[in-house]
Amino acid sequence: MVHRIGHRGAKGYVAENTLESFQKALDLGVDAIELDVHVTQCGELVVFHDFTVDRMTDGSGEVHKLSLSELKELKISGEFQIPTLAETFDLINRKCWINVELKGHETAQPTCDLIQMYVVEKGWQYEDFVVSSFQKEELEQVKKMNPKIRLAALSQASVEQALEWADELSAYAIHPHFSLLTDDNIAEAKRKGYKINVWTVNHEEDIQRLESFTIDGIISDFPDRL
């Protein structure tokens, strides 16, 4: 079975990385939800993609230079609030697994701490999470702090680069852009034992093309199309 993974929730339907978008993804019956995290000025984790709030909100400034209360006052698309990672975990509540992408710098330690807390105190399993990043140093920090957390190497450049990182990190999966896939590099990834989850696939012709490949998950803004 190829897992249907909602990109930043159900980004094609509801503003990305909001609790409402995550709920929409759950309503569509996704197998997983992909989201992005940054650290606030005071160290809390918020779910947000960009390094600044300018594109998505009615405010401006860098996420890591704003306090949680300042971020909470902002509006996404005029109506939605920036959620914390803990609020997001509580909403999803093990209804599907979660792909946490470490987007901001210095996100590894607080993400590890929060995952550990949900496993130890709330009855979650490490299998409920995959942590991915384009930043190798953040993934290295996760591996160092908690090797039980499953890692995924993100790549926009090449599957070969993702495999190289995955080997070095003892990763669980690779997350390449779908356009990079070939029969050969898929076979190599499978030979090495890695799961393959690709992003971001929205169009019918691309979805049909992927049906010929042996992959494990597809990340989409429209997960109901998969």
Side-chain angles (χ1 to χ4, degrees):
M1 183 187 80
V2 177
H3 283 191
R4 299 183 301 158
I5 305 170
H7 185 224
R8 306 179 200 169
K11 179 176 177 284
Y13 297 107
V14 184
E16 65 183 59
N17 282 328
T18 60
L19 294 180
E20 291 80 2
S21 191
F22 301 137
Q23 185 59 57
K24 178 65 174 179
L26 292 173
D27 293 344
L28 293 173
V30 295
D31 301 294
I33 287 173
E34 184 269 354
L35 53 83
D36 310 278
V37 294
H38 284 270
V39 176
T40 70
Q41 184 183 55
C42 301
E44 300 96 347
L45 285 166
V46 290
V47 181
F48 203 76
H49 178 270
D50 299 358
F51 282 79
T52 74
V53 299
D54 299 46
R55 176 180 69 93
M56 285 301 300
T57 78
D58 54 357
S60 64
E62 296 177 65
V63 176
H64 77 99
K65 292 183 178 178
L66 296 169
S67 68
L68 181 59
S69 60
E70 288 172 325
L71 290 164
K72 283 291 189 182
E73 290 174 1
L74 303 177
K75 288 287 186 271
I76 297 171
S77 300
E79 56 178 316
F80 305 113
Q81 193 177 67
I82 297 172
T84 65
L85 187 56
E87 288 170 339
T88 303
F89 285 178
D90 289 342
L91 172 74
I92 296 172
N93 194 27
R94 304 193 70 200
K95 297 181 183 76
C96 66
W97 58 271
I98 303 170
N99 174 189
V100 180
E101 180 182 339
L102 305 180
K103 184 64 70 173
H105 300 298
E106 299 181 358
T107 45
Q109 180 164 356
T111 298
C112 284
D113 291 344
L114 192 65
I115 288 174
Q116 173 78 2
M117 190 267 279
Y118 272 73
V119 170
V120 172
E121 298 181 16
K122 294 178 179 283
W124 289 45
Q125 305 293 320
Y126 284 111
E127 290 72 27
D128 293 322
F129 305 98
V130 170
V131 172
S132 65
S133 188
F134 288 106
Q135 301 178 70
K136 187 180 177 186
E137 63 275 13
E138 294 293 331
L139 294 176
E140 288 171 339
Q141 284 296 310
V142 175
K143 180 185 178 184
K144 180 179 178 181
M145 288 183 280
N146 192 336
K148 295 179 182 178
I149 295 174
R150 304 187 301 179
L151 300 179
L154 265 166
S155 181
Q156 191 168 5
S158 72
V159 172
E160 289 69 32
Q161 181 202 58
L163 288 171
E164 182 181 317
W165 284 20
D167 289 346
E168 294 177 19
L169 293 161
S170 303
Y172 168 77
I174 60 169
H175 290 187
H177 189 268
F178 75 92
S179 64
L180 302 174
L181 293 180
T182 66
D183 288 328
D184 287 346
N185 59 35
I186 289 173
E188 177 68 5
K190 288 299 177 184
R191 185 184 68 78
K192 290 173 175 283
Y194 298 123
K195 300 292 186 182
I196 305 170
N197 301 314
V198 299
W199 55 276
T200 300
V201 188
N202 294 327
H203 302 295
E204 188 63 37
E205 58 269 27
D206 296 324
I207 295 169
Q208 289 178 353
R209 173 175 168 253
L210 290 175
E211 289 176 355
S212 66
F213 291 135
T214 305
I215 58 176
D216 300 281
I218 299 175
I219 299 170
S220 177
D221 297 341
F222 303 92
D224 54 324
R225 294 181 181 176
L226 303 175

